[in-house]
Amino acid sequence: MAVTIKDVARAAGVSVATVTRALSMPDVVRAATRERVLETAKTLGYQPNRAARGLITGRTGNLGLLVPDLANPFFPGIVKGVQARAHEADHAVFLADTDENPAAEAGLVRKLAKQVDGVVLCSPRMPEAELRALAADIPIVLVYRRIPGTPSVTAAFLDGMRQAISHLTALGHQRIAYVAGPRSSWANRERVKSLRAVGRDVAGNGSPAGRASAEGKVSAAAKCELVEMGSVTPTFEGGVAAADGVLAAGVTAVIAYNDLVALGLLHRCAARGVRVPGDLSVLGFDDIPLGAMVHPALTTVALPKGPAGRAAVDLLLQERKEKRELPTQLIVRGSTGPAEG
Amino acid sequence: MAVTIKDVARAAGVSVATVTRALSMPDVVRAATRERVLETAKTLGYQPNRAARGLITGRTGNLGLLVPDLANPFFPGIVKGVQARAHEADHAVFLADTDENPAAEAGLVRKLAKQVDGVVLCSPRMPEAELRALAADIPIVLVYRRIPGTPSVTAAFLDGMRQAISHLTALGHQRIAYVAGPRSSWANRERVKSLRAVGRDVAGNGSPAGRASAEGKVSAAAKCELVEMGSVTPTFEGGVAAADGVLAAGVTAVIAYNDLVALGLLHRCAARGVRVPGDLSVLGFDDIPLGAMVHPALTTVALPKGPAGRAAVDLLLQERKEKRELPTQLIVRGSTGPAEG
DNA sequence: TTGAAAGCGATACCAC
DNA sequence: GTGGTATCGCTTTCAA
C-alpha cells in the first residue's frame, strides 16, 4: 500500500505529530529532527493524503471548474489558465463539462462542493437566481458573467467594441452589421449594450461623447450606421446561416457575435464568391486560434482567456469578493479592409 | 456547516450505521426505516462526503485525466468522452494539462494518485520506463499510446492509412508525400509503420499482399510511390513551414501527420496561389472540427475521440487489462481531388 | 520541542 | 435489523 504518515514517523523514530509539524510548521521543530523527518519522508516517497487532511482542516486543496463546452475553442484557453494558476498554488482541479445543458450546471457543482475549496464557473448559462443560491452555499467565482454580489472576472467589452468600430470607420465603413448571439446569453447582452453605447457616440455624428472611458477613440470624423441582425446560434453553422442575410443588408462590414460565427460568415462568403475584405469586411470577437489559420485570417477583438482563468483562481484562493475587468485588444488581420465603392 | 451523516441519523432517530445501510445496502434495512432515513436525508440535503468515504473504502469515486495540451483541438473531444462516461458512472474527474512538458507528467499523476481510483493518460509523452513505473503504483489506462502489459485504447492506424492511400490512388495520384510528426511521438511512429506497410503492398505493384488485415483495399491496380518528408512540429506553423518542401518534391498529393499540419499546408498553398486540390491534394489525420470549417474543407482520417475517452474510462472502472483498438474512418471533403496532368 | 489522544465523516465489523 | 465502535490518514489541542 501507499506510505502513510505513520510509516514516516516510525522510520524516523518520532511521533506522527512531529512529522506533521516538520512538514507544515517547520520552524516549530528542532532543526535536527526536522532534517531527519524530511529526509525519511523523501526516501520513502511520502505524499500526504489530501483527502484525509481536508477532512480535518476543511480545506481540500482542490478547485472545481465548470465549462459549458470544452469543444468550443474559446474555453480551452481559460481552462489552461485555471490549471496553470491552480497548480502553481498547489491545487488540483476538477473539471466538469456540462455540454451546454444549463439544467445540469448546479447539480454538478453541488456534487463537487464537498471535495473542493471553491469553484470557477465559466460562462454559466444557469439563471441568476440559481447562481445566487449556489454562491450562498459554496465559494464561487464567475468568469465571463456578472451578477451582483459575486466575485467575477470579465473583460472590457465596451472598450473592445469601441476599438472594433473605430477600426472599421477608419477604413471608411459607414454601414455596419452586428450579428447577435443568443438573447439569453450574458455575453451577447454585454456586446449589444456596448454596441449601442458606441453607436450613440457615432450616429449623432461629430461630438465624441466619450462618456464612459477616456479613450473615446471613435473620433469626431466618424459617422456610421449600426444595423443589428437577429440572433443566431453561436457556432460556425450559425454564421453560415446568417451570411446571406448579412449580404442582403447592404452593409460593407459585419461584426459577428464571436469568432466561430465570423468563421461561418467567411466560409459562406467564400462559397458564394464574395471577396473578403474586398466586398465585405468581417470582424469577430474572442480570438480563438482558428481565426489565425483561415484565409483570409480573421480580424477580431481578443478576449483574455488564460489571464481570465488565472485571475479567477486568484480571487478564489484569496477569498476576495471583487469584480475584475480585464482589457480587450483588437487584433487586425486580413478579414477587414477599406470600404470599397 | 454541511450536513453530515450524524445529522441525518439524529433527525431520523437511528444510528449512523443504519443511515449508511439505508443508502448503500437498501435491502438489508427494514422498509419503513429505510423510507424514513431516505426521506430525512433528502430534506436535509445530505450529500455523503466522498473524501471521508474514500478514506475507509479505498475507492474515491474520482478519476484523473492527463492531457499534453488542451489547446490542441484533438484533445477536447477525448476529454469530453472521459467526462461523459465518468459522470455516468458517478465519478468526478481531475484534469491535468502538462503543457507539452513530458517531465511534468509523472509528477502530476503521482500527486493525483491518492485522490483517484485510476488515471487516464492521453498521448503521454514520457518515456516508456517511466510509464511502466507509474503503472506499477497506480491503475492507468493509456489513450493513443501503447506499451506492453498496460491497458490502452488506440485506433486502427493501419486501416486508416490504407483508406487514405486507397482514396488517393483511386484519384490517380502516383507520387504521394507524407509529412512526418515528431520522431519521438508514438503516434507518428504508428503512422509511419502503417504507411510503410501499405507502401509495400502498393509499390511492388500488383499483388495485394494484404498481410495484416483482410480488407486489403489498396487494390491490385494501384501502383504508387510514397515519399517520406522530414518531421515537423505537429502544429499549424509546422505545416506552414513544411509546405514549400512539399511543393518542391514533385508530388500531387500529401498526407500530413495530423490535421493541424494539413491546415498549415493549406494556408501556405493559398498564400502561394497553389490550387487545392487542383495542383495538390491534401489529406490530414485526426478530424478536428477546424478541418470542416476551412475552405476547401479538409479530407482526413477520423480518429475516435469521444469513444476513445469513454472506452478508457470503462477499462479503468472495470479494471480490465486489455488493449482496445477502435476503428478509423476516412472522411472525404474538398481538399483532395483527381490528380491533374 | 515533542508525544498522546481526540476528532474530521464515513464504512465495516461485531454484537445483540 | 439495528446499534456500538474501531478504523482510514491526517491535523490539532493539551500535556509533558
Side-chain angles (χ1 to χ4, degrees):
Chain A
M1 264 315 247
V3 29
T4 79
I5 199 173
K6 273 188 190 160
D7 301 323
V8 179
R10 199 174 315 123
V14 296
S15 74
V16 293
T18 302
V19 177
T20 296
R21 293 192 196 102
L23 263 46
S24 44
M25 341 161 65
D27 40 327
V28 79
V29 60
R30 188 155 40 111
T33 320
R34 181 185 349 129
E35 304 264 313
R36 186 155 39 95
V37 172
L38 262 37
E39 181 67 22
T40 56
K42 172 172 287 180
T43 61
L44 261 51
Y46 170 68
Q47 296 256 135
N49 182 324
R50 313 188 99 175
R53 170 185 295 172
L55 211 45
I56 176 135
T57 60
R59 318 204 78 244
T60 61
N62 295 149
L63 260 42
L65 172 57
L66 196 79
V67 296
D69 180 13
L70 249 197
N72 178 335
F74 179 63
F75 295 117
I78 298 180
V79 175
K80 291 196 68 137
V82 169
Q83 289 266 346
R85 188 70 195 86
H87 284 143
E88 284 170 17
D90 200 35
H91 280 237
V93 3
F94 276 111
L95 178 73
D97 181 309
T98 60
D99 245 323
E100 290 287 3
N101 177 5
E105 293 181 346
L108 280 175
V109 173
R110 290 220 140 79
K111 261 240 201 78
L112 286 184
K114 289 284 206 320
Q115 293 193 84
V116 301
D117 296 334
V119 7
V120 174
L121 301 185
C122 210
S123 307
R125 320 300 206 199
M126 75 180 98
E128 186 168 328
E130 222 172 317
L131 225 32
R132 249 183 239 290
L134 257 190
D137 295 351
I138 142 174
I140 70 176
V141 170
L142 266 23
V143 174
Y144 286 115
R145 172 135 183 203
R146 196 158 40 195
I147 69 170
T150 307
S152 63
V153 178
T154 58
F157 288 111
L158 178 58
D159 185 52
M161 192 59 87
R162 193 161 267 150
Q163 292 180 57
I165 303 223
S166 175
H167 168 65
L168 292 177
T169 55
L171 286 170
H173 296 279
Q174 310 213 46
R175 204 172 137 78
I176 304 172
Y178 171 71
V179 176
R183 295 211 187 295
S184 61
S185 147
W186 179 87
N188 182 60
R189 286 197 303 272
E190 284 301 297
R191 286 160 170 73
V192 169
K193 227 164 50 183
S194 304
L195 183 79
R196 291 185 186 158
V198 178
R200 274 193 298 278
D201 294 0
V202 123
N205 127 347
S207 66
R211 307 170 298 72
S213 78
E215 57 261 290
K217 296 212 204 73
V218 181
S219 66
K223 167 158 187 176
C224 90
E225 194 182 347
L226 267 19
V227 357
E228 297 180 29
M229 320 229 0
S231 44
V232 300
T233 64
T235 59
F236 177 77
E237 289 74 22
V240 172
D244 297 319
V246 170
L247 291 171
V251 301
T252 58
V254 54
I255 298 180
Y257 166 68
N258 69 9
D259 282 358
L260 241 24
V261 170
L263 255 17
L265 253 21
L266 246 34
H267 187 91
R268 179 69 181 149
C269 284
R272 283 192 48 182
V274 175
R275 293 170 307 126
V276 173
D279 301 322
L280 182 73
S281 281
V282 177
L283 196 151
F285 248 89
D286 279 358
D287 187 31
I288 59 179
L290 219 52
M293 303 184 187
V294 295
H295 201 90
L298 189 64
T299 293
T300 190
V301 175
L303 263 32
K305 289 167 282 291
R310 305 183 73 96
V313 173
D314 281 335
L315 289 184
L316 211 47
L317 297 183
Q318 297 167 24
E319 301 176 35
R320 305 180 68 168
K321 283 205 118 29
E322 69 195 60
K323 298 189 190 317
R324 211 165 280 184
E325 192 180 84
L326 272 25
T328 52
Q329 174 63 54
L330 176 74
I331 304 209
V332 178
R333 299 209 186 92
S335 70
T336 49
E340 287 189 0
Chain B
M1 259 317 245
V3 29
T4 78
I5 197 172
K6 272 187 190 160
D7 301 323
V8 179
R10 198 173 317 123
V14 297
S15 74
V16 293
T18 302
V19 177
T20 296
R21 291 189 199 105
L23 262 47
S24 45
M25 342 162 62
D27 41 327
V28 81
V29 60
R30 190 159 34 117
T33 321
R34 181 183 349 127
E35 304 265 313
R36 185 155 38 95
V37 172
L38 263 35
E39 181 66 24
T40 57
K42 171 171 287 180
T43 61
L44 262 51
Y46 170 69
Q47 295 256 133
N49 182 325
R50 310 186 100 174
R53 169 187 295 172
L55 211 47
I56 180 132
T57 60
R59 318 205 78 246
T60 61
N62 294 148
L63 261 43
L65 172 57
L66 196 78
V67 296
D69 180 14
L70 250 199
N72 179 334
F74 179 63
F75 295 116
I78 298 180
V79 174
K80 291 196 68 137
V82 168
Q83 289 266 346
R85 189 72 194 84
H87 284 144
E88 284 171 18
D90 200 35
H91 280 237
V93 4
F94 275 111
L95 177 72
D97 181 308
T98 60
D99 245 323
E100 290 288 2
N101 177 5
E105 293 181 335
L108 278 175
V109 174
R110 290 221 140 78
K111 257 234 203 87
L112 286 184
K114 291 282 207 321
Q115 293 193 82
V116 302
D117 296 335
V119 6
V120 174
L121 301 185
C122 209
S123 307
R125 320 301 205 198
M126 75 180 98
E128 185 168 330
E130 222 171 317
L131 224 33
R132 248 183 240 288
L134 257 190
D137 295 351
I138 143 173
I140 68 177
V141 169
L142 267 22
V143 174
Y144 286 115
R145 172 135 181 202
R146 196 159 40 195
I147 69 171
T150 306
S152 63
V153 178
T154 57
F157 288 112
L158 178 59
D159 185 51
M161 192 60 86
R162 194 162 265 150
Q163 293 180 56
I165 304 224
S166 175
H167 169 64
L168 292 176
T169 54
L171 286 170
H173 296 279
Q174 310 215 44
R175 204 172 137 77
I176 303 172
Y178 172 70
V179 176
R183 295 210 188 295
S184 62
S185 147
W186 179 86
N188 182 59
R189 287 198 303 273
E190 285 300 297
R191 284 158 169 75
V192 169
K193 229 163 51 183
S194 305
L195 182 80
R196 291 183 186 159
V198 178
R200 274 193 299 278
D201 294 0
V202 124
N205 128 344
S207 66
R211 306 169 299 73
S213 77
E215 56 259 290
K217 296 213 204 71
V218 180
S219 66
K223 169 158 186 176
C224 91
E225 194 182 346
L226 266 19
V227 356
E228 296 181 27
M229 320 230 359
S231 43
V232 300
T233 63
T235 59
F236 178 76
E237 289 73 23
V240 171
D244 297 319
V246 170
L247 291 172
V251 301
T252 58
V254 54
I255 298 179
Y257 165 69
N258 69 10
D259 282 358
L260 241 24
V261 170
L263 254 17
L265 254 22
L266 246 34
H267 187 91
R268 179 70 182 147
C269 285
R272 283 192 47 181
V274 175
R275 293 169 308 124
V276 173
D279 301 324
L280 183 73
S281 281
V282 176
L283 196 151
F285 248 89
D286 279 358
D287 187 32
I288 59 179
L290 220 50
M293 303 184 188
V294 295
H295 201 91
L298 189 64
T299 293
T300 189
V301 175
L303 264 33
K305 289 167 282 290
R310 304 183 73 94
V313 173
D314 281 336
L315 289 184
L316 211 48
L317 296 183
Q318 296 167 24
E319 301 175 34
R320 305 180 68 170
K321 283 204 115 33
E322 70 194 60
K323 297 189 191 315
R324 210 164 281 183
E325 192 180 84
L326 271 25
T328 52
Q329 176 62 55
L330 177 74
I331 305 209
V332 179
R333 299 207 187 95
S335 70
T336 49
E340 288 188 359

